[in-house]
Amino acid sequence: MAEQGGLEGSQPVDLSKHPSGIVPTLQNIVSTVNLDCKLDLKQIALQARNAEYNPKRFAAVIMRIREPKTTALIFASGKMVCTVQKVSSSQNWQQEVCSNYPKLGFPAKFKDFKIQNIVGSCDVKFPIRLEGLAYSHGAFSSVRDETYTAFENIYPVLTEFRKIYICVGGMSAAVDGYG
């Protein structure tokens, strides 16, 4: 396994998995689950901690916790949407929330858990001509390992669309070179 000095606050980078030497940071994960029962949102909001419910504004109970930073939207239909910053936290927290429903008198189950969206980011260390990139390549959507693979596949493309800066008479400007 080839390694390179790690990024700030991280482990060394496995260059066999991440040839660019850059590992994207996961920012946000959205998942869904079906509790498989109808819910009384008013009852949940009154008895659950960190819950808010204003049916005139939004037709769901909003539950938030700080660590890991998580927001869950709980609908009367029994569907729940959860946003977290760590994949492992998403299912664990949804299971924890679901385990509280029997105490409230709801026969909740944990069906059809699915990660719907993953957002990652990284610094490629150069500016990118976004218009050219968008024109030449379609959007990617994937699971974590596919996100890393997609990044490794798109990194050479990003370098192709690197903005070039020139300096003339003490002033600099970005040059878009298409070709």
Coordinates of all heavy atoms in Angstrom, one line a residue, residues 23-69:
V23 N -8.7 12.9 -0.7 CA -9.9 12.1 -0.3 C -11.0 13.1 0.0 O -10.9 14.0 0.8 CB -9.6 11.3 1.0 CG1 -10.8 10.5 1.4 CG2 -8.4 10.4 0.8
P24 N -12.1 13.0 -0.8 CA -13.3 13.9 -0.5 C -13.8 13.7 0.9 O -13.8 12.7 1.5 CB -14.3 13.4 -1.5 CG -13.6 12.7 -2.6 CD -12.4 12.1 -1.9
T25 N -14.2 14.8 1.5 CA -14.8 14.9 2.8 C -16.4 14.8 2.7 O -16.9 15.6 1.9 CB -14.5 16.2 3.6 OG1 -13.1 16.2 3.7 CG2 -15.1 16.2 4.9
L26 N -17.0 13.8 3.4 CA -18.4 13.8 3.3 C -19.0 14.9 4.1 O -18.7 15.1 5.2 CB -18.9 12.4 3.8 CG -18.5 11.2 3.0 CD1 -19.0 9.9 3.7 CD2 -18.9 11.3 1.6
Q27 N -20.0 15.6 3.5 CA -20.6 16.8 4.1 C -22.0 16.5 4.6 O -22.4 17.0 5.6 CB -20.6 18.0 3.1 CG -19.3 18.4 2.6 CD -18.4 19.0 3.6 OE1 -18.9 19.5 4.6 NE2 -17.1 18.9 3.5
N28 N -22.7 15.7 3.9 CA -24.1 15.6 4.2 C -24.6 14.3 3.6 O -24.3 14.0 2.4 CB -24.8 16.8 3.5 CG -26.3 16.9 3.8 OD1 -27.0 15.9 3.5 ND2 -26.7 18.0 4.3
I29 N -25.4 13.5 4.3 CA -26.1 12.3 3.8 C -27.6 12.4 4.1 O -28.0 12.7 5.2 CB -25.5 11.0 4.5 CG1 -24.0 10.9 4.1 CG2 -26.2 9.8 4.0 CD1 -23.1 11.5 5.1
V30 N -28.4 12.1 3.1 CA -29.8 12.1 3.3 C -30.3 10.7 3.1 O -30.0 10.0 2.1 CB -30.5 13.0 2.2 CG1 -32.0 13.0 2.4 CG2 -30.0 14.5 2.4
S31 N -31.1 10.2 4.1 CA -31.6 8.9 4.0 C -33.1 8.9 4.3 O -33.6 9.8 4.9 CB -30.9 7.9 5.0 OG -31.0 8.4 6.3
T32 N -33.8 7.8 3.9 CA -35.2 7.7 4.2 C -35.4 6.3 4.8 O -34.7 5.4 4.7 CB -36.0 7.8 2.9 OG1 -35.6 6.8 2.0 CG2 -35.9 9.2 2.3
V33 N -36.6 6.2 5.6 CA -37.0 5.0 6.2 C -38.5 5.0 6.3 O -39.1 6.1 6.4 CB -36.3 4.7 7.5 CG1 -36.8 5.7 8.6 CG2 -36.5 3.3 8.0
N34 N -39.1 3.9 6.2 CA -40.6 3.7 6.4 C -40.8 3.1 7.7 O -40.3 2.0 8.0 CB -41.1 2.9 5.2 CG -42.6 2.7 5.3 OD1 -43.3 3.2 6.2 ND2 -43.2 2.0 4.3
L35 N -41.5 3.8 8.6 CA -41.8 3.2 9.9 C -43.0 2.3 9.9 O -43.3 1.6 10.9 CB -42.1 4.3 10.9 CG -41.0 5.4 11.0 CD1 -41.3 6.5 12.0 CD2 -39.7 4.7 11.5
D36 N -43.7 2.2 8.7 CA -44.7 1.2 8.4 C -45.9 1.3 9.4 O -46.5 0.3 9.8 CB -44.1 -0.2 8.5 CG -45.0 -1.2 7.7 OD1 -45.6 -0.8 6.7 OD2 -45.0 -2.4 8.1
C37 N -46.2 2.5 9.8 CA -47.5 2.8 10.6 C -47.8 4.2 10.5 O -47.0 5.1 10.2 CB -47.3 2.3 12.0 SG -46.1 3.3 13.0
K38 N -49.1 4.6 10.7 CA -49.5 6.0 10.8 C -49.1 6.6 12.1 O -49.0 5.9 13.1 CB -51.0 6.1 10.6 CG -51.5 5.5 9.3 CD -51.1 6.3 8.1 CE -51.6 5.7 6.8 NZ -50.9 6.2 5.7
L39 N -48.7 7.9 12.1 CA -48.2 8.5 13.3 C -49.1 9.7 13.7 O -49.5 10.4 12.8 CB -46.8 8.9 13.1 CG -45.8 7.8 12.7 CD1 -44.4 8.5 12.3 CD2 -45.6 6.9 13.9
D40 N -49.2 9.9 15.0 CA -49.9 11.1 15.5 C -48.7 12.1 15.8 O -48.1 12.1 16.8 CB -50.6 10.8 16.8 CG -51.4 12.0 17.4 OD1 -51.0 13.1 17.1 OD2 -52.3 11.8 18.1
L41 N -48.6 13.1 14.9 CA -47.4 14.0 15.0 C -47.5 14.9 16.2 O -46.5 15.2 16.8 CB -47.3 14.8 13.7 CG -47.1 14.0 12.4 CD1 -46.9 15.0 11.3 CD2 -45.9 13.1 12.6
K42 N -48.7 15.3 16.6 CA -48.9 16.1 17.8 C -48.4 15.4 19.0 O -47.7 15.9 19.9 CB -50.4 16.6 17.9 CG -50.6 17.6 19.0 CD -52.1 18.0 19.0 CE -52.3 19.0 20.1 NZ -53.7 19.5 20.2
Q43 N -48.8 14.1 19.1 CA -48.4 13.3 20.3 C -46.9 13.2 20.3 O -46.3 13.3 21.4 CB -49.1 12.0 20.3 CG -48.7 11.1 21.4 CD -49.4 9.7 21.4 OE1 -50.2 9.5 20.5 NE2 -49.0 8.8 22.2
I44 N -46.3 12.9 19.2 CA -44.8 12.8 19.1 C -44.2 14.1 19.5 O -43.2 14.1 20.4 CB -44.4 12.4 17.7 CG1 -44.9 11.0 17.4 CG2 -42.9 12.5 17.5 CD1 -44.7 10.6 15.9
A45 N -44.6 15.2 19.0 CA -44.0 16.5 19.3 C -44.1 16.8 20.8 O -43.2 17.4 21.4 CB -44.6 17.6 18.5
L46 N -45.2 16.4 21.4 CA -45.4 16.7 22.9 C -44.5 15.8 23.8 O -44.1 16.2 24.9 CB -46.9 16.6 23.3 CG -47.8 17.6 22.7 CD1 -49.3 17.3 23.0 CD2 -47.5 19.0 23.2
Q47 N -44.3 14.6 23.3 CA -43.5 13.7 24.2 C -42.1 13.5 23.8 O -41.3 13.0 24.7 CB -44.2 12.3 24.1 CG -45.6 12.4 24.7 CD -46.3 11.0 24.8 OE1 -45.6 10.0 24.9 NE2 -47.6 11.0 24.9
A48 N -41.6 13.9 22.6 CA -40.3 13.6 22.2 C -39.4 14.9 22.5 O -39.9 16.0 22.5 CB -40.2 13.3 20.7
R49 N -38.1 14.6 22.8 CA -37.2 15.7 23.1 C -36.7 16.2 21.7 O -36.7 15.5 20.7 CB -36.0 15.2 23.8 CG -36.3 14.8 25.3 CD -35.1 14.3 26.0 NE -34.6 13.1 25.4 CZ -33.3 12.7 25.4 NH1 -32.4 13.4 25.9 NH2 -33.0 11.6 24.8
N50 N -36.3 17.5 21.7 CA -35.7 18.1 20.5 C -36.7 18.1 19.3 O -36.2 17.9 18.2 CB -34.4 17.5 20.2 CG -33.4 17.6 21.3 OD1 -33.3 18.6 22.0 ND2 -32.6 16.6 21.5
A51 N -38.0 18.2 19.5 CA -38.9 18.1 18.4 C -39.7 19.4 18.3 O -40.1 20.0 19.3 CB -39.9 16.9 18.7
E52 N -40.0 19.7 17.1 CA -40.9 20.9 16.9 C -41.9 20.5 15.8 O -41.7 19.7 14.9 CB -40.1 22.1 16.4 CG -39.3 22.0 15.1 CD -38.5 23.2 14.8 OE1 -37.4 23.3 15.3 OE2 -39.0 24.0 13.9
Y53 N -43.1 21.1 16.0 CA -44.2 20.7 15.1 C -45.1 21.9 15.0 O -45.7 22.4 16.0 CB -45.0 19.5 15.6 CG -46.1 19.1 14.8 CD1 -46.0 18.9 13.4 CD2 -47.4 18.9 15.3 CE1 -47.0 18.4 12.6 CE2 -48.5 18.5 14.5 CZ -48.3 18.3 13.2 OH -49.3 17.8 12.4
N54 N -45.2 22.5 13.8 CA -46.1 23.6 13.5 C -46.8 23.2 12.2 O -46.3 23.5 11.1 CB -45.3 24.9 13.3 CG -46.2 26.0 13.1 OD1 -47.4 25.9 12.8 ND2 -45.7 27.2 13.3
P55 N -48.0 22.5 12.2 CA -48.6 22.0 11.0 C -49.0 23.1 10.0 O -49.2 22.8 8.8 CB -49.8 21.2 11.6 CG -50.1 21.7 12.9 CD -48.7 22.2 13.4
K56 N -49.2 24.3 10.5 CA -49.5 25.4 9.5 C -48.3 25.8 8.7 O -48.5 26.3 7.5 CB -50.0 26.6 10.3 CG -51.3 26.4 11.0 CD -51.7 27.7 11.7 CE -53.1 27.4 12.4 NZ -53.5 28.6 13.2
R57 N -47.1 25.5 9.2 CA -45.9 25.8 8.4 C -45.4 24.6 7.6 O -44.9 24.8 6.5 CB -44.8 26.3 9.3 CG -45.1 27.7 9.9 CD -44.0 28.3 10.6 NE -42.9 28.7 9.7 CZ -41.7 28.8 10.0 NH1 -41.2 28.6 11.2 NH2 -40.8 29.2 9.1
F58 N -45.4 23.4 8.2 CA -44.8 22.2 7.6 C -45.5 21.0 8.2 O -45.6 20.9 9.4 CB -43.3 22.2 7.9 CG -42.6 21.2 7.1 CD1 -42.6 21.1 5.7 CD2 -41.8 20.2 7.8 CE1 -41.9 20.1 5.0 CE2 -41.1 19.3 7.1 CZ -41.2 19.2 5.7
A59 N -45.8 20.0 7.3 CA -46.6 18.9 7.7 C -45.8 17.7 8.3 O -46.0 16.6 7.9 CB -47.5 18.4 6.6
A60 N -44.8 18.0 9.1 CA -43.9 17.0 9.7 C -43.4 17.5 11.0 O -43.3 18.7 11.3 CB -42.8 16.7 8.7
V61 N -43.1 16.5 11.9 CA -42.3 16.8 13.1 C -40.8 17.0 12.7 O -40.3 16.1 11.9 CB -42.5 15.7 14.2 CG1 -41.5 15.9 15.3 CG2 -43.9 15.7 14.7
I62 N -40.2 18.0 13.2 CA -38.8 18.2 12.9 C -38.0 17.9 14.2 O -38.3 18.5 15.2 CB -38.5 19.6 12.5 CG1 -39.3 20.0 11.2 CG2 -37.0 19.8 12.2 CD1 -39.2 21.4 10.8
M63 N -37.1 16.9 14.2 CA -36.3 16.5 15.3 C -34.9 16.8 15.0 O -34.4 16.5 13.9 CB -36.5 15.1 15.7 CG -37.9 14.7 16.2 SD -38.0 13.0 16.7 CE -37.2 13.0 18.2
R64 N -34.2 17.4 15.9 CA -32.7 17.8 15.7 C -31.9 17.3 16.9 O -32.4 17.4 18.1 CB -32.6 19.3 15.6 CG -33.2 19.8 14.3 CD -32.8 21.3 14.2 NE -33.3 21.9 13.0 CZ -34.5 22.4 12.8 NH1 -35.3 22.5 13.7 NH2 -34.8 22.9 11.6
I65 N -30.7 16.8 16.6 CA -29.8 16.5 17.7 C -28.5 17.1 17.3 O -28.2 17.4 16.1 CB -29.6 15.0 18.0 CG1 -29.1 14.2 16.8 CG2 -30.9 14.4 18.5 CD1 -28.7 12.8 17.1
R66 N -27.6 17.4 18.2 CA -26.3 18.1 18.0 C -25.2 17.2 17.6 O -24.4 17.5 16.8 CB -25.9 18.9 19.2 CG -26.8 20.1 19.4 CD -26.3 21.0 20.5 NE -27.2 22.1 20.7 CZ -27.5 22.6 21.8 NH1 -27.0 22.2 22.9 NH2 -28.4 23.6 21.9
E67 N -25.1 16.0 18.2 CA -24.0 15.1 18.0 C -24.4 13.7 17.8 O -25.0 13.1 18.7 CB -23.0 15.2 19.1 CG -21.7 14.5 18.8 CD -20.9 15.1 17.6 OE1 -20.9 16.3 17.4 OE2 -20.4 14.2 16.9
P68 N -24.3 13.2 16.6 CA -23.8 13.9 15.4 C -24.9 14.8 14.9 O -26.1 14.5 15.1 CB -23.6 12.7 14.4 CG -24.5 11.6 14.8 CD -24.6 11.8 16.3
K69 N -24.5 15.9 14.2 CA -25.5 16.9 13.8 C -26.5 16.2 12.8 O -26.1 15.7 11.8 CB -24.8 18.0 13.1 CG -25.7 19.1 12.7 CD -25.0 20.3 12.2 CE -26.0 21.4 11.9 NZ -25.3 22.6 11.2

